[in-house]
């Protein structure tokens, strides 16, 4: 079994347990060494005190002056040794020859340890560590002086090191027991911590996280769409190569900084509060027109960030234009088919009745109507995409029982280079659709609408320095309780249906992009007039 084959939770448990055990062993060793040193130091000072006391005793001085110790004196020193718990009390003359010792056979022999010179030569009192005839010991030594202050001998009081270790063994056992108890507690805490930690990383192993990170990094670098994400505080946490190229950003300079510092116009942070998911919305960032999808990142019910993917709108301009033209053309054909079916049925009935003059008159009227409309739009609107829109909406209005009327004074020459025809189609299309819905809403409410109120007026003007688009209806008017500014916000609508409140928001967004203005006025007593002003010169 290899280390990598063990689960991350077990590995974390083993590492935390072993690290805790090693730390405790070091603490136990340090505690033991400290206690041992303290014991030796304390016993050394005790031995030194006894040795200094004996060195000043008149009986000891007299014994050294006579050069021998009586049996009674030997017994008295041995009793004192037991009384103070020492290993020995040894007294030697100036040459270091023992006069007093716990063992009779060693009396008269030189004192062992080689640590008497400081007392016999310098006359000091001190604590030493040396190995004598009884073993390694800590000793208190003191010089013995006569009445003339001459050094005549030395007193040595010693405690064996082994006996000191026996004293601190219970403490060592106690420390070891406490260490094992702490290790057991550490195992429980480590097990809980490892479980919580692995849950926080969604149960992945470290190797899996590393592999997923590399895969994600490679995947994001190969995606053509730009992708970026922010955390719950609005800091940019990731951005791929395509996003940097599209927005003209340097990854090293913007990463881990507030997104609004590098992209002041970005409102991605609002997703953190709303938790909404935006799909295919239009954005304008760093002078780039984008189509974006945005969503909140939610973990365990908590918003931890937001992510956005986007692409240049220019990349899909051709498809958008083709789709717009196709939709308008299909709408026009559908409306014309419906209308012409009725006309054909009428013509068929007139033919069967033999009313050929009436047939010719009807065909002439229809031909003249469409010819005049097409000629008018061809002269009025130079852009075929916008002209197609108006033609299609005219047929749609007739199908709904309304009339779309383009004011005769309307005029639209070629659009400036910076204004896209598909944006004008989006603005006009949404305004006209809103007018249709307002009129239909009045009908659905049971209100009778006379023919003169079933007219939707459209005006297009490019005189002066502005492009002016105006749509006016005689429908239900502005809803109560909602201001024009509120109706231009995303998701705000007078309809109860889901996914409403997008049309006017797109109008407002495109108008702001071109640094224009939207004016919404309630007609008196019916309907609404919406006017869009777009500067013809690029700002």
């Amino acid at each position: 079994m290899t280390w990598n084959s063990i689960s991350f939770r077990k590995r974390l448990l083993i590492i935390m347990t072993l690290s805790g055990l090693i730390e405790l062993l070091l603490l136990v060793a340090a505690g033991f060494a400290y206690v041992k040193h303290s014991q030796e130091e304390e016993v050394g000072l005790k031995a030194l005190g006894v040795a200094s006391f004996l060195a000043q005793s008149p009986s000891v001085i007299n014994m050294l002056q006579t050069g021998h110790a009586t049996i009674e004196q030997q017994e008295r020193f041995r009793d004192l040794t037991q009384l103070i718990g020492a290993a020995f009390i040894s007294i030697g003359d100036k040459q270091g020859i023992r006069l007093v010792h716990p063992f009779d056979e060693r009396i008269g022999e030189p004192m062992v340890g080689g640590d008497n010179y400081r007392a016999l030569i310098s006359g000091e009192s001190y604590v030493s560590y040396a190995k004598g005839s009884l073993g390694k010991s800590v000793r208190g030594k003191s010089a013995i002086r006569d009445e003339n202050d001459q050094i005549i001998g030395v007193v040595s009081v010693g405690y064996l090191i082994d006996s000191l270790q026996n004293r601190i063994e219970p403490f060592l056992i106690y420390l070891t027991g406490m260490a094992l108890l702490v290790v057991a507690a550490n195992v429980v805490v480590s097990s809980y911590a490892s479980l919580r930690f692995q849950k926080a990383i969604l149960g992945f192993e470290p190797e899996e996280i590393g592999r997923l990170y590399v895969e994600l990094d490679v995947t994001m670098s190969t995606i053509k769409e730009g992708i970026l994400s922010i955390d719950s505080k609005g800091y940019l946490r990731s951005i791929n190569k395509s996003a940097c190229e599209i927005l003209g950003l340097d990854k090293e300079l913007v990463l881990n900084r507030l997104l609004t510092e590098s992209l002041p116009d970005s409102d991605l942070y609002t997703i953190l509060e709303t938790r909404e998911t935006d799909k295919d919305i239009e954005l304008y960032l760093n002078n780039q027109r984008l189509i974006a999808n945005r969503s909140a990142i939610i973990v365990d019910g908590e918003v931890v960030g937001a992510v956005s993917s986007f692409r240049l709108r220019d990349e899909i301009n051709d498809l958008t234009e083709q789709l717009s033209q196709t939709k308008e053309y299909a709408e026009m054909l559908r409306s014309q088919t419906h209308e012409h079916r009725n006309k054909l049925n009428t013509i068929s009935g007139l033919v069967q009745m033999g009313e050929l003059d009436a047939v010719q008159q009807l065909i002439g009227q229809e031909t003249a109507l469409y010819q005049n409309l097409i000629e008018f739009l061809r002269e009025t609107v130079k852009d075929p995409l916008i002209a197609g829109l108006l033609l299609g909406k005219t047929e749609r209005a007739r199908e709904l029982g309304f009339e779309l009327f383009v004011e005769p004074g309307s005029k639209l020459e070629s659009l400036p280079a910076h204004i896209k025809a598909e944006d004008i189609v989006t603005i006009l299309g949404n305004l006209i659709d809103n007018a249709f819905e307002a009129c239909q809403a009045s009908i659905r409410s049971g209100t009778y609408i006379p023919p003169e109120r079933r007219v939707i007026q459209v005006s297009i003007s490019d005189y002066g320095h502005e492009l002016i688009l105006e749509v006016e209806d005689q429908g239900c008017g502005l809803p109560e309780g909602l201001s024009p500014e509120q109706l231009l916000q995303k998701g705000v609508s007078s309809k109860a249906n889901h996914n409403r409140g997008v049309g006017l928001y797109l109008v407002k967004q495109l108008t702001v992009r071109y640094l224009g203005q939207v004016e919404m006025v309630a007609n008196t007593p019916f309907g609404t007039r919406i006017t869009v002003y777009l500067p013809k010169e690029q700002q």
Side-chain angles (χ1 to χ4, degrees), residues 100 108 156 185 270 284 346 353 358 372 396 460 488 494 506 526:
V100 175
S156 179
T270 60
Y284 191 73
T346 303
M353 294 171 60
N372 292 337
R396 177 59 177 164
I460 302 176
L488 293 173
S494 60
L506 289 177
F526 307 107

Side-chain angles (χ1 to χ4, degrees), residues 179-223:
L180 293 176
L181 182 61
V182 172
V183 167
N186 186 59
V187 169
V188 176
V189 175
S190 300
S191 178
Y192 175 77
S194 61
L195 178 63
R196 295 287 298 176
F197 190 81
Q198 190 162 33
K199 184 179 179 181
I201 59 176
L202 306 178
F204 287 108
E205 299 294 328
E207 293 77 15
E208 292 177 327
I209 295 176
R211 185 176 65 254
L212 288 174
Y213 177 80
V214 173
E215 292 175 356
L216 179 62
D217 187 56
V218 174
T219 301
M220 290 186 64
S221 64
T222 56
I223 293 177

Side-chain angles (χ1 to χ4, degrees), residues 101-127:
H101 193 272
F103 300 101
D104 293 336
E105 64 272 14
R106 297 180 183 178
I107 296 175
E109 296 180 356
M111 301 175 72
V112 180
D115 54 346
N116 288 334
Y117 65 94
R118 292 175 59 188
L120 295 176
I121 297 176
S122 303
E124 299 179 17
S125 297
Y126 54 92
V127 177

Side-chain angles (χ1 to χ4, degrees), residues 225 238 382 413 526:
E225 285 193 340
S238 67
K382 300 301 182 182
E413 299 293 340
F526 307 107

Side-chain angles (χ1 to χ4, degrees), residues 49 122 134 148 159 165 237 295 337 343 429 501 505 513:
S122 303
L134 298 179
N148 297 321
Y159 291 84
Q165 291 180 347
R237 293 306 180 191
S295 178
T337 300
K343 301 298 183 183
Y505 170 75
R513 180 177 303 165

Side-chain angles (χ1 to χ4, degrees), residues 397-438:
R398 292 182 61 185
E399 181 183 357
L400 296 174
F402 306 130
E403 180 183 356
L404 182 66
F405 179 71
V406 181
E407 293 186 358
S410 298
K411 189 69 174 178
L412 179 62
E413 299 293 340
S414 298
L415 292 173
H418 73 284
I419 297 181
K420 305 296 182 181
E422 57 268 23
D423 290 341
I424 303 301
V425 168
T426 299
I427 294 174
L428 271 179
N430 280 292
L431 293 181
I432 294 172
D433 288 340
N434 273 2
F436 289 162
E437 292 178 356

Side-chain angles (χ1 to χ4, degrees), residues 292-359:
N293 294 292
R294 310 188 300 185
S295 178
I297 303 174
I298 301 176
V299 177
D300 294 333
E302 181 180 356
V303 177
V304 298
V307 63
S308 175
S309 63
F310 51 88
R311 62 193 182 277
L312 282 172
R313 190 179 188 276
D314 292 340
E315 293 180 356
I316 57 173
N317 274 350
D318 294 337
L319 292 177
T320 302
E321 183 174 349
Q322 294 176 17
L323 180 61
S324 298
Q325 292 174 344
T326 303
K327 288 176 64 177
E328 294 300 330
Y329 186 64
E331 184 73 16
M332 181 183 66
L333 289 179
R334 189 181 65 82
S335 299
Q336 288 180 343
T337 300
H338 180 78
E339 183 68 18
H340 288 170
R341 185 181 296 114
N342 295 331
K343 301 298 183 183
L344 288 175
N345 290 334
T346 303
I347 292 172
S348 175
L350 291 174
V351 170
Q352 292 177 12
M353 294 171 60
E355 300 290 341
L356 298 182
D357 293 338
V359 171

